[in-house]
Amino acid sequence: MMLLYHLWLSPFCRKVRLALGEKQLPFKMQVEKVWERRDDFLALNPTGECPVLVDEDGNRICGSQVICEYLDEMYGARPLLGTGAIERAEVRRLIDWFDRKFYAEVGVNLVEEKIMKRFLGLGEPSSSAIRAGGRNLHIHLAYIDWLVDRRTWLAGEEMTLADLTAAAHLSTVDYLGDVPWGDHSEAKDWYARVKSRPSFRPVLADHIPGAPPPRHYADLDF
Amino acid sequence: MMLLYHLWLSPFCRKVRLALGEKQLPFKMQVEKVWERRDDFLALNPTGECPVLVDEDGNRICGSQVICEYLDEMYGARPLLGTGAIERAEVRRLIDWFDRKFYAEVGVNLVEEKIMKRFLGLGEPSSSAIRAGGRNLHIHLAYIDWLVDRRTWLAGEEMTLADLTAAAHLSTVDYLGDVPWGDHSEAKDWYARVKSRPSFRPVLADHIPGAPPPRHYADLDF
């Protein structure tokens, strides 16, 4: 069975879990405390980061987008990156938007500040970072509103890895109860559709000891 | 003809120029002063970043990796991402290494500090950033030494986009004369091989007014 080295509340690991779920591929998960910089793990991935997937043949694949491209190439049924070069370019553009821009502008300011700092004993969260994250979050939700006002899913008429990626990132913020869904009804409707997919169920069951999610987190009718 | 919106000394734009060169695709370039946040450009790419490629059919593709994946899908001869899913995963792992890790640890500290700050009138470069960039550069060059001690090219026996990406990033640092080639002979031999490719010639001819490159920059026998 495949093995995924992961961290709880990492949007990049969640993205891979969702992709594996959509492909209906069974896998085991192992938490990797990346801050311990374990030698065996650094030999697997010299960046020392999660996610890393070890497939059934022992091949190790590093990094969420590299893993997802690999899965789509190896398990072609239900393509997650779309069909056709132009469509895939749009899917990849949006993936990059959330993996890089959303994560830097929202995820780092909210999830990293509130959770990682606490767990690693790095002090109190910065209130200015949290304020900035909240402001930026509105801009990203407005972009989702705008996209799904014009398209069924973020990148077009089919559900793709762009939706899974955006939802993976949003889900970590939602775990903290920080998403102002009431101000963004179109984004909310879209998120409800992603959230109701079977691939999302394990992510909604995540429960970090000492930091439980708010009640609406796992609720499909939030 | 294709049109590439670019910035001088952007490693991401250089990577696309090299990929287009390897594919022998003719293209025009247009400098986009991204800091002016021109409305027409934001309509093309809402992140406001370069590179953006507009192909002959008017499709716009945003972001260096998205563009390169698109080019490899559309123009399959001389595949740049390698053949086979495992090989492509290794190529993409190394691309991510240089685009994300090298850029954050070296490029931002050296090229952004020394060039972009000056051109945008943002003050003097930070000497601590420059020292950190120099230290980090040694680690990355040692990683290249290690890879090409074991393989012909960075990702294996074939020249791939991993080599072009690494060389694009290094070339911007080399433009400033900041690469300690004397301490890394294997990385130097590898760079000499990439540098001698016809696709590299236009990049070696770059000459930014007010910031000329050192003499060895364009020299194939440096």
Side-chain angles (χ1 to χ4, degrees):
Chain A
M1 196 184 287
M2 294 194 202
L3 174 62
L4 179 69
Y5 291 90
H6 86 122
L7 271 175
W8 299 114
L9 281 188
S10 154
F12 303 101
C13 298
R14 288 186 161 203
K15 169 183 167 188
V16 173
R17 291 165 66 192
L18 295 173
L20 286 161
E22 289 290 331
K23 295 280 184 188
Q24 301 184 343
L25 295 167
F27 63 102
K28 285 186 298 187
M29 302 206 297
Q30 184 170 315
V31 171
E32 180 62 37
K33 295 174 179 167
V34 293
W35 49 91
E36 293 180 354
R37 295 186 67 74
R38 203 163 54 84
D39 284 345
D40 285 354
F41 186 69
L42 289 172
L44 269 185
N45 185 5
T47 70
E49 296 166 327
C50 283
V52 173
L53 184 75
V54 180
D55 76 7
E56 291 179 305
D57 296 329
N59 298 301
R60 71 89 175 82
I61 321 286
C62 304
S64 74
Q65 188 56 22
V66 180
I67 294 170
C68 290
E69 298 270 359
Y70 172 79
L71 292 174
D72 227 28
E73 291 180 7
M74 291 292 282
Y75 305 95
R78 307 160 163 248
L80 291 177
L81 283 155
T83 48
I86 298 288
E87 291 73 21
R88 270 192 296 276
E90 179 65 356
V91 171
R92 290 190 180 109
R93 178 182 78 81
L94 289 166
I95 291 169
D96 180 62
W97 179 289
F98 287 96
D99 277 350
R100 203 166 46 85
K101 198 170 164 65
F102 183 97
Y103 180 66
E105 295 174 359
V106 180
V108 169
N109 284 323
L110 295 179
V111 186
E112 295 278 314
E113 276 298 323
K114 289 188 178 180
I115 295 287
M116 292 311 290
K117 258 192 169 172
R118 169 141 66 110
F119 275 85
L120 297 178
L122 298 174
E124 290 299 306
S126 146
S127 56
S128 69
I130 289 171
R131 274 197 305 276
R135 276 195 307 273
N136 296 337
L137 179 53
H138 271 293
I139 297 168
H140 286 276
L141 288 168
Y143 189 43
I144 294 175
D145 287 338
W146 187 88
L147 287 169
V148 293
D149 198 35
R150 284 155 182 79
R151 304 165 171 182
T152 306
W153 297 93
L154 293 188
E157 295 315 300
E158 301 293 331
M159 200 286 303
T160 67
L161 190 59
D163 300 282
L164 301 179
T165 303
H169 284 273
L170 268 170
S171 75
T172 64
V173 182
D174 200 37
Y175 189 96
L176 305 178
D178 282 352
V179 183
W181 292 118
D183 299 338
H184 297 277
S185 59
E186 279 137 322
K188 184 182 173 185
D189 289 347
W190 160 83
Y191 187 62
R193 280 187 283 136
V194 187
K195 203 172 170 178
S196 66
R197 296 182 81 86
S199 66
F200 226 85
R201 253 177 244 148
V203 166
L204 296 179
D206 282 358
H207 193 111
I208 294 151
R215 211 190 211 136
H216 79 269
Y217 170 72
D219 191 350
L220 294 183
D221 188 22
F222 55 108
Chain B
M1 196 183 288
M2 294 193 202
L3 174 63
L4 179 68
Y5 290 90
H6 85 123
L7 270 175
W8 299 114
L9 281 188
S10 155
F12 304 100
C13 297
R14 286 185 164 203
K15 170 184 167 188
V16 174
R17 291 165 67 192
L18 294 173
L20 287 161
E22 289 290 330
K23 296 279 185 188
Q24 302 185 342
L25 295 166
F27 64 102
K28 286 187 295 186
M29 302 207 295
Q30 185 170 315
V31 171
E32 181 61 38
K33 294 175 182 167
V34 292
W35 50 89
E36 293 180 355
R37 295 188 66 74
R38 202 163 54 84
D39 284 344
D40 285 354
F41 186 68
L42 289 172
L44 269 185
N45 184 6
T47 69
E49 297 165 326
C50 283
V52 173
L53 183 74
V54 179
D55 76 7
E56 290 179 305
D57 296 328
N59 298 302
R60 70 89 174 83
I61 321 286
C62 304
S64 74
Q65 188 56 22
V66 181
I67 294 171
C68 289
E69 297 270 0
Y70 172 79
L71 292 174
D72 226 28
E73 290 180 8
M74 291 293 282
Y75 305 95
R78 306 162 163 251
L80 292 178
L81 283 156
T83 48
I86 298 288
E87 290 74 21
R88 271 192 294 277
E90 179 65 356
V91 171
R92 290 191 180 111
R93 178 183 77 83
L94 289 165
I95 291 169
D96 180 61
W97 179 290
F98 287 96
D99 277 350
R100 203 166 45 86
K101 197 170 163 64
F102 183 98
Y103 181 66
E105 297 173 356
V106 180
V108 169
N109 284 322
L110 295 178
V111 185
E112 294 279 312
E113 276 298 323
K114 289 189 177 179
I115 295 287
M116 292 312 289
K117 258 192 167 174
R118 170 140 66 110
F119 275 84
L120 297 179
L122 298 175
E124 290 298 307
S126 145
S127 56
S128 70
I130 288 171
R131 272 196 307 275
R135 275 194 309 270
N136 296 338
L137 178 52
H138 271 293
I139 297 168
H140 287 276
L141 288 168
Y143 189 45
I144 294 175
D145 287 338
W146 187 89
L147 288 168
V148 293
D149 197 34
R150 283 153 183 79
R151 304 165 170 181
T152 307
W153 297 92
L154 293 188
E157 295 315 300
E158 301 293 331
M159 201 285 304
T160 68
L161 190 60
D163 300 283
L164 301 179
T165 303
H169 283 274
L170 268 170
S171 74
T172 64
V173 183
D174 200 39
Y175 189 96
L176 305 178
D178 281 351
V179 183
W181 292 118
D183 300 336
H184 297 277
S185 60
E186 279 138 321
K188 183 182 174 183
D189 288 348
W190 160 83
Y191 187 62
R193 281 187 283 136
V194 188
K195 203 173 170 178
S196 66
R197 296 182 79 86
S199 66
F200 227 85
R201 252 176 245 148
V203 166
L204 297 178
D206 282 359
H207 194 112
I208 293 151
R215 212 193 210 133
H216 78 269
Y217 170 73
D219 191 349
L220 294 184
D221 187 22
F222 55 107

